Amino acid sequence: MLTSELIRKIRKIEISTRRLVSETFAGQYHSLFKGQGIEFAEVRPYIPGDEIRFIDWNVSARQNSLFVKRFAEERELTVLIIADVSGSTRFGSRERLKSEIIAEISAILAFSAIDNKDKVGAILFSDKIEKYIPPKKGKKHVLSIISEILSFVPQSNKTDIGNALKYAMNILKRRAVIFLLSDFMGEGYEREIAIVSRKHDLVAFRLYDPLERVINLPFEISLTDPETGTSCVVDNTEYNTRNKITKRLSEMEIYTKNLFAKNDIDYLDMDITKDYTASLVKFFRLRQKEAMRR
């Protein structure tokens, strides 16, 4: 049962993201993410200058006039949103949590997809597959995906990105566009991300809160790991303590970015305390330019 507060959030996301899609992202999406190839559309009368190799000799013989085959792009794609719902995504030091930003970005991507007649599905994951929503079309389906991401209560708070990617490989029979949204608070998924990025068009969004990087409070602070439930008191006046936390987060960030670079994966770092619209537009424009050069 959806609460009134959740319904308001879903409606707000729908209104704001729909505007962004109609004004900016739908066209960029269409040019960036191509179909699977071309398929036969129809035959039409030959016009001087047409490619001779496209002449349909069977139809031409029956009609006693030259006809050529016309082909169209096989446009329909399968889009899969892989959304992290582990404990660390339910953190935010300002107005919104990472999970809410994940829902908003998912909405932009999903609405762009259905506006281009593509199917959209989703995998919600922690260290297990929490929920799989098979790809479908339609606004109602997109709203159900948004609702699930916003309201889902996972069975586990931990993270296993490799397991989510492995599951995606098993369910996708044809090349797809995959959007992976996570804070990437985990390691050990080198093999899975390499295989997925070779077989599919994989784009990653790494969400972070600046407060996670530098804990800058001049006193003792009680911290609880949202993924393990472990609590401890940190003497934040100790330089070594702050340095260890910063160093560990930096190591995970470097690990993730090296993986993206090694596998030629386009990604965007997203500060959840800032408006992401401009950076998202810039990201897709840069990706569009790079695609045109290839």
Side-chain angles (χ1 to χ4, degrees):
M1 183 72 177
L2 296 179
T3 64
S4 57
E5 181 184 358
L6 182 58
I7 291 170
R8 283 196 300 272
K9 282 185 178 180
I10 295 169
R11 181 60 179 158
K12 184 179 178 181
I13 289 175
E14 180 192 0
I15 292 170
S16 61
T17 57
R18 267 311 220 173
R19 179 180 54 79
L20 284 171
V21 168
S22 62
E23 291 176 359
T24 305
F25 292 108
Q28 287 185 335
Y29 172 93
H30 182 87
S31 60
L32 273 173
F33 303 107
K34 303 295 184 182
Q36 301 296 321
I38 60 172
E39 59 182 358
F40 172 74
E42 62 181 2
V43 294
R44 62 164 174 76
Y46 174 83
I47 298 172
D50 283 341
E51 287 272 1
I52 295 175
R53 61 195 174 100
F54 293 141
I55 293 176
D56 188 322
W57 295 107
N58 291 328
V59 174
S60 298
R62 289 197 301 269
Q63 299 294 329
N64 200 28
S65 179
L66 288 178
F67 280 78
V68 294
K69 296 176 182 178
R70 191 177 72 82
F71 297 89
E73 179 188 358
E74 188 183 352
R75 172 62 237 178
E76 184 177 286
L77 289 170
T78 295
V79 173
L80 185 65
I81 294 168
I82 304 181
D84 188 345
V85 293
S86 64
S88 60
T89 66
R90 294 190 294 278
F91 175 81
S93 62
R94 299 283 180 86
E95 295 178 357
R96 292 177 295 176
L97 308 178
K98 292 179 195 173
S99 57
E100 293 177 287
I101 303 298
I102 287 174
E104 290 179 18
I105 302 301
S106 297
I108 290 173
L109 300 170
F111 279 126
S112 295
I114 64 167
D115 279 4
N116 282 277
K117 314 300 181 189
D118 293 336
K119 295 184 293 184
V120 187
I123 293 172
L124 311 187
F125 76 95
S126 55
D127 64 340
K128 60 179 71 176
I129 303 305
E130 297 282 353
K131 190 175 185 67
Y132 170 55
I133 305 171
K136 292 181 183 177
K137 297 181 180 181
K139 172 185 168 183
K140 186 177 179 181
H141 180 64
V142 170
L143 292 176
S144 71
I145 291 174
I146 300 167
S147 172
E148 288 287 0
I149 295 172
L150 280 175
S151 63
F152 195 81
V153 179
Q155 294 180 16
S156 173
N157 287 321
K158 298 179 181 179
T159 307
D160 189 337
I161 295 170
N163 187 48
L165 292 170
K166 191 184 298 182
Y167 187 83
M169 284 188 283
N170 290 333
I171 62 171
L172 293 171
K173 305 306 178 187
R174 302 178 67 190
R175 182 174 174 81
V177 176
I178 299 176
F179 296 109
L180 176 57
L181 297 95
S182 174
D183 53 14
F184 291 91
M185 293 287 190
E187 297 172 328
Y189 52 94
E190 299 91 340
R191 181 176 178 274
E192 290 83 2
I193 206 166
I195 295 172
V196 169
S197 63
R198 283 199 302 268
K199 293 186 176 181
H200 303 281
D201 190 352
L202 176 62
V203 180
F205 296 91
R206 192 180 74 90
L207 294 89
Y208 69 90
D209 189 307
L211 189 61
E212 293 172 316
R213 295 183 171 189
V214 181
I215 299 175
N216 211 16
L217 302 174
F219 45 74
E220 285 189 345
I221 183 170
S222 177
L223 299 176
T224 301
D225 187 326
E227 298 203 355
T228 64
T230 303
S231 297
C232 65
V233 176
V234 174
D235 183 354
N236 202 42
T237 60
E238 292 281 345
Y239 172 78
N240 285 339
T241 301
R242 294 200 306 270
N243 193 44
K244 284 178 183 177
I245 294 171
T246 303
K247 184 173 181 287
R248 179 59 185 141
L249 289 171
S250 178
E251 286 171 351
M252 277 197 289
E253 184 176 331
I254 291 168
Y255 168 85
T256 304
K257 290 185 176 181
N258 285 342
L259 263 186
F260 293 156
K262 181 180 178 181
N263 295 287
D264 198 25
I265 296 168
D266 289 333
Y267 73 93
L268 178 63
D269 278 336
M270 306 189 76
D271 180 343
I272 68 164
T273 64
K274 296 180 180 178
D275 180 15
Y276 56 77
T277 307
S279 59
L280 196 58
V281 170
K282 183 180 178 182
F283 171 74
F284 278 111
R285 283 178 179 164
L286 285 173
R287 196 174 194 269
Q288 192 171 18
K289 289 178 181 178
E290 289 172 4
M292 291 173 68
R293 293 195 204 105
R294 292 168 186 164

